[in-house]
Amino acid sequence: MADRAGAALTRPVDAPGDDELLPQVRIRHWGRVVAGLAVLAVLGLLFQAISRGDIDYASIPALLTQDVILEGLVDTIVLAVIAQAGAIVIGTVVALMRTSANPVLRWVSWAYIWVFRGLPVLLQILLWYNIALVFPTFSIPVPFTDAYLLDQPANVIMTGFLAALLGLGLNESAYMAEIVRAGLTSVDRGQTEAAKSIGMSPAKVLSRVVLPQAMRVIIPPTGNDFINMLKGTSIASVIGFTELIHAANALSSRSLAVMETLLAVAVWYMVVVSVANVGQYYLERHYNASIRPTGTRGSVWAKIGGSLRTPPFMRSSR
Amino acid sequence: MSAAAGEGVAQGEVLVRARGLRKHYGSLEVLRGVDLTVRRGQVVVLLGASGAGKSTLLRCVNHLEAADGGEIWVDGVPIGFRHDGDRLHELREKDVARQRAEIGMVFQRFNLFPHRTVLANVTEGPVQVRGVPRREAEAYARELLERVGLGDKVDTYPDRLSGGQQQRVAIARALAMRPKLLLFDEPTSALDPELVGEVLAVMTELAREGMTMIVVTHEISFAREVADHVVFMAGGVVVEEGPPEQVIGAPQHERTRAFLARVTA
């Protein structure tokens, strides 16, 4: 009965070997062979061209571990991590305000996102860095006394690091607010109702039911943003903060090995970004562990985080 | 097994009393002055076409919806309010949560927590809301899951269960809070026909044990066999109510007759 449709019609019922399965001829994927050969040819030509360039490749490994470069690497990572961590915290608070029932909080959070997402990061960094022009001293007086909790010239407080941190972090927090909000609204309303029906307080509903489920939607774009943040710290070079690009410029202005130094820095960026990729993979796996792939989940991913998730090693897990 | 649910037996004192409930969404009036009385141990079934206001009424009982007017008292407490002298003060969400802990609810679409196992779904309320020690909560949860016939599914995640199984877990989750009252919002409407029976069987068993239940459903045979009291609603008001043999067996109103003819056809 199984083969009653096509086969039975075209094969005589009493033909010899009727009980045996017929050999199957698979499609030959010629396109893959052609594409592979083409890529090899292009790579070969590219390699030949690069090897003829006027550049001292042998000097690059030594440049990687130059003190200035390593200092730039550490500063880049520290700035990116603190800015992103702060942005996640502030962004979550702003997202909660944005979804709150309180109209004043909703309005304030909307305005916050409007301003900090609207202005270019470079402009924001420059505004913070030059704030001493407007406020020469930062002071916080203790009420009813002559004492000051803080009383310092703005130039001392607003270092390149702090200006870059505020510029990058606050800008990112506006994006994080939208990412978290997308996550919160992706959780089915029935989940909130079920949590309420067993007597959960609003804080418990959020922390036990809504946020854990929102994480699946929040993490991929957050990882995406963090990778952007790692690279975006290079903007801080314009105010003289010693991140990787600034370090490279400082080094090559003396050694004149401009391309070699830039390539060394490029290697470090790729390393750091790859490490971040791996971290993101494990975070995603953690928050997916309890929920197996389903059709609806795929569509949420596709909607919000899809663009990021291309590395081949992620495919095998799903 | 309590004898409370037997036919004609006068049940306990009034557990739920709703008076003059009004609710509108924009210009649409969903509830237009509804009264409802449920006695302890009673099973009350709300019938009516979709849009009649049954689900809204049910969701007002545990304050998932706030009524625009009228009062609901459950076991002497005004839901959503604090009774102080001759006034009702509106409660904050945190305090409403405490009232909801006493009232279980089962939803049309189950709404199990997909990121937690079956066992964790059932223990979530007792542990997080009541502060019951985990071991104790798990023992009771296993007992409840055994009772709904899912004792072997404790470590499974909800998406591996059939609709009928998920709904039985949802019932166990509601029971784990030891509620005074259980609300069912069309509990079998999202199920494949062959799975409806297993959920109704669990509900029938609960009714026999004396659980107070308010059930919104289109299962007329369940209403006829299990309900103590049937309320027929249309257009946001109660059209007719009484024992099932009266409302379903010999309806007085034209709208009730028309509705029954449609759903039993």
Side-chain angles (χ1 to χ4, degrees), chain B residues 132-167:
Chain B
V132 176
R134 184 166 295 279
R135 185 168 304 178
E136 199 180 304
E138 284 185 356
Y140 187 49
R142 283 175 199 279
E143 187 187 318
L144 288 170
L145 288 167
E146 203 68 56
R147 266 172 59 189
V148 299
L150 294 169
D152 57 334
K153 300 286 187 194
V154 285
D155 294 323
T156 312
Y157 282 92
D159 67 348
R160 285 289 163 94
L161 301 179
S162 73
Q165 290 171 328
Q166 289 192 48
Q167 195 61 297

Coordinates of all heavy atoms in Angstrom, one line a residue, chain B residues 132-167:
Chain B
V132 N 6.3 28.5 51.3 CA 6.4 27.1 51.7 C 7.8 26.6 51.4 O 8.3 26.8 50.4 CB 5.3 26.3 51.0 CG1 5.4 24.8 51.3 CG2 3.9 26.9 51.3
P133 N 8.4 25.8 52.4 CA 9.7 25.2 52.1 C 9.6 24.3 50.8 O 8.6 23.6 50.6 CB 9.9 24.3 53.3 CG 9.1 24.9 54.4 CD 7.9 25.5 53.7
R134 N 10.6 24.3 50.0 CA 10.6 23.7 48.7 C 10.2 22.2 48.8 O 9.4 21.7 48.0 CB 11.9 23.8 48.0 CG 12.0 23.2 46.6 CD 13.2 23.7 45.8 NE 13.1 25.2 45.6 CZ 12.4 25.7 44.6 NH1 11.7 25.0 43.8 NH2 12.4 27.0 44.5
R135 N 10.8 21.5 49.8 CA 10.6 20.1 49.9 C 9.1 19.8 50.1 O 8.5 18.9 49.5 CB 11.4 19.5 51.0 CG 11.3 18.0 51.1 CD 12.4 17.4 52.0 NE 13.7 17.8 51.6 CZ 14.8 17.5 52.2 NH1 14.8 16.8 53.3 NH2 16.0 17.9 51.8
E136 N 8.5 20.6 51.0 CA 7.1 20.4 51.3 C 6.2 20.7 50.1 O 5.3 19.9 49.8 CB 6.8 21.4 52.5 CG 5.5 21.1 53.3 CD 5.4 22.2 54.3 OE1 6.3 22.3 55.1 OE2 4.3 22.8 54.3
A137 N 6.6 21.8 49.4 CA 5.8 22.2 48.2 C 5.9 21.1 47.2 O 4.9 20.8 46.5 CB 6.3 23.5 47.7
E138 N 7.1 20.5 47.0 CA 7.3 19.5 46.0 C 6.5 18.2 46.3 O 5.9 17.6 45.5 CB 8.8 19.1 45.8 CG 9.5 20.2 45.0 CD 10.9 19.9 44.7 OE1 11.4 18.9 45.2 OE2 11.5 20.7 44.0
A139 N 6.4 17.9 47.6 CA 5.7 16.7 48.0 C 4.2 16.9 47.7 O 3.6 16.0 47.1 CB 5.9 16.4 49.5
Y140 N 3.7 18.0 48.0 CA 2.3 18.3 47.7 C 2.0 18.4 46.2 O 1.0 17.9 45.7 CB 1.8 19.6 48.4 CG 0.3 19.8 48.3 CD1 -0.6 18.8 48.6 CD2 -0.2 21.1 47.9 CE1 -2.0 19.0 48.5 CE2 -1.5 21.3 47.8 CZ -2.4 20.3 48.1 OH -3.8 20.5 48.1
A141 N 3.0 19.0 45.5 CA 2.8 19.1 44.0 C 2.8 17.7 43.4 O 2.0 17.4 42.5 CB 4.0 19.9 43.4
R142 N 3.7 16.8 43.8 CA 3.7 15.4 43.3 C 2.3 14.7 43.6 O 1.8 14.0 42.7 CB 4.8 14.6 43.9 CG 6.2 14.9 43.4 CD 7.2 14.2 44.1 NE 8.5 14.8 43.9 CZ 9.3 14.5 42.8 NH1 8.9 13.7 41.9 NH2 10.4 15.2 42.7
E143 N 1.8 15.0 44.7 CA 0.5 14.4 45.1 C -0.6 14.9 44.1 O -1.4 14.1 43.6 CB 0.2 14.8 46.6 CG -1.0 14.1 47.2 CD -1.3 14.7 48.5 OE1 -0.3 15.0 49.3 OE2 -2.5 15.0 48.8
L144 N -0.6 16.2 43.9 CA -1.6 16.8 43.0 C -1.4 16.3 41.6 O -2.4 16.0 40.9 CB -1.5 18.4 43.0 CG -1.9 19.1 44.3 CD1 -1.5 20.5 44.3 CD2 -3.4 18.9 44.5
L145 N -0.2 16.2 41.1 CA 0.1 15.7 39.8 C -0.4 14.3 39.6 O -0.9 13.9 38.6 CB 1.5 15.9 39.4 CG 1.9 17.4 39.1 CD1 3.4 17.5 39.1 CD2 1.3 17.9 37.8
E146 N -0.2 13.5 40.7 CA -0.6 12.2 40.7 C -2.2 12.1 40.5 O -2.7 11.4 39.8 CB -0.3 11.5 42.1 CG -0.2 10.0 42.1 CD 1.0 9.5 41.2 OE1 2.2 9.9 41.5 OE2 0.7 8.7 40.3
R147 N -2.8 13.0 41.3 CA -4.3 13.1 41.2 C -4.8 13.4 39.9 O -5.9 13.0 39.5 CB -4.8 14.1 42.3 CG -5.1 13.4 43.6 CD -5.5 14.4 44.6 NE -6.6 15.3 44.3 CZ -7.0 16.4 45.0 NH1 -6.3 16.7 46.1 NH2 -8.0 17.1 44.7
V148 N -4.1 14.3 39.1 CA -4.6 14.6 37.8 C -4.0 13.7 36.7 O -4.1 13.9 35.5 CB -4.3 16.1 37.4 CG1 -5.0 17.1 38.3 CG2 -2.8 16.4 37.4
G149 N -3.4 12.6 37.2 CA -2.9 11.6 36.3 C -1.6 11.9 35.6 O -1.3 11.3 34.5
L150 N -0.8 12.7 36.2 CA 0.5 13.1 35.5 C 1.7 12.9 36.4 O 2.7 13.6 36.3 CB 0.4 14.6 35.0 CG -0.7 14.8 34.0 CD1 -0.8 16.3 33.7 CD2 -0.2 14.2 32.6
G151 N 1.6 11.9 37.3 CA 2.7 11.7 38.2 C 4.0 11.3 37.6 O 5.0 11.6 38.1
D152 N 3.9 10.9 36.3 CA 5.2 10.5 35.6 C 5.7 11.6 34.8 O 6.7 11.5 34.0 CB 4.9 9.3 34.7 CG 3.8 9.5 33.7 OD1 2.9 10.4 34.0 OD2 3.8 8.9 32.7
K153 N 5.1 12.8 34.8 CA 5.6 13.9 34.0 C 6.3 15.1 34.7 O 6.5 16.1 34.2 CB 4.4 14.5 33.2 CG 3.6 13.5 32.3 CD 4.4 13.2 31.1 CE 3.6 12.4 30.1 NZ 4.4 11.8 29.1
V154 N 6.6 14.8 36.0 CA 7.1 15.9 36.8 C 8.3 16.7 36.3 O 8.3 17.9 36.4 CB 7.4 15.5 38.3 CG1 6.2 15.2 39.1 CG2 8.3 14.2 38.2
D155 N 9.2 16.0 35.6 CA 10.4 16.6 35.1 C 10.3 17.1 33.7 O 11.3 17.5 33.1 CB 11.6 15.7 35.3 CG 11.9 15.5 36.8 OD1 11.7 16.4 37.6 OD2 12.2 14.4 37.2
T156 N 9.2 16.9 33.1 CA 9.0 17.3 31.7 C 8.7 18.8 31.6 O 8.2 19.4 32.5 CB 7.8 16.5 31.1 OG1 7.9 15.2 31.5 CG2 7.7 16.6 29.6
Y157 N 9.1 19.4 30.4 CA 8.7 20.8 30.2 C 7.4 20.8 29.5 O 7.0 19.9 28.7 CB 9.8 21.5 29.4 CG 11.0 21.8 30.2 CD1 12.1 21.0 30.3 CD2 11.0 23.0 30.9 CE1 13.2 21.3 31.1 CE2 12.1 23.4 31.7 CZ 13.2 22.5 31.8 OH 14.2 22.8 32.6
P158 N 6.6 21.9 29.7 CA 5.2 21.9 29.2 C 5.1 21.7 27.7 O 4.1 21.1 27.3 CB 4.8 23.3 29.6 CG 5.6 23.7 30.8 CD 6.9 23.0 30.6
D159 N 6.1 22.2 26.9 CA 5.9 22.0 25.5 C 6.0 20.6 25.0 O 5.8 20.3 23.8 CB 6.9 22.9 24.7 CG 8.3 22.5 24.9 OD1 8.6 21.6 25.8 OD2 9.2 23.0 24.2
R160 N 6.3 19.7 25.9 CA 6.3 18.3 25.5 C 5.0 17.6 25.8 O 4.8 16.4 25.6 CB 7.5 17.5 26.2 CG 8.8 17.8 25.7 CD 9.0 17.2 24.3 NE 10.1 17.7 23.5 CZ 11.3 17.2 23.5 NH1 11.5 16.1 24.2 NH2 12.2 17.7 22.8
L161 N 4.0 18.3 26.4 CA 2.8 17.7 26.8 C 1.7 18.1 25.8 O 1.7 19.1 25.1 CB 2.4 18.3 28.2 CG 3.3 18.0 29.3 CD1 2.8 18.6 30.6 CD2 3.6 16.5 29.5
S162 N 0.7 17.2 25.7 CA -0.5 17.5 24.9 C -1.3 18.6 25.6 O -1.1 18.9 26.7 CB -1.4 16.3 24.8 OG -2.0 16.0 26.0
G163 N -2.3 19.2 24.8 CA -3.1 20.3 25.4 C -3.8 19.8 26.7 O -3.9 20.5 27.7
G164 N -4.4 18.6 26.6 CA -5.1 18.1 27.8 C -4.2 17.9 29.0 O -4.6 18.2 30.1
Q165 N -3.0 17.4 28.7 CA -2.0 17.2 29.8 C -1.6 18.6 30.4 O -1.6 18.8 31.6 CB -0.8 16.5 29.3 CG -1.1 15.0 29.0 CD 0.1 14.3 28.4 OE1 0.9 15.0 27.6 NE2 0.3 13.1 28.6
Q166 N -1.4 19.6 29.5 CA -1.0 20.9 30.0 C -2.1 21.5 30.8 O -1.9 22.1 31.9 CB -0.8 21.9 28.8 CG 0.5 21.5 28.0 CD 0.9 22.6 27.1 OE1 0.9 23.8 27.4 NE2 1.2 22.3 25.8
Q167 N -3.4 21.3 30.4 CA -4.5 21.9 31.2 C -4.6 21.2 32.5 O -4.9 21.9 33.5 CB -5.8 21.8 30.4 CG -6.9 22.7 30.9 CD -6.6 24.1 30.9 OE1 -5.6 24.6 31.6 NE2 -7.3 24.9 30.1

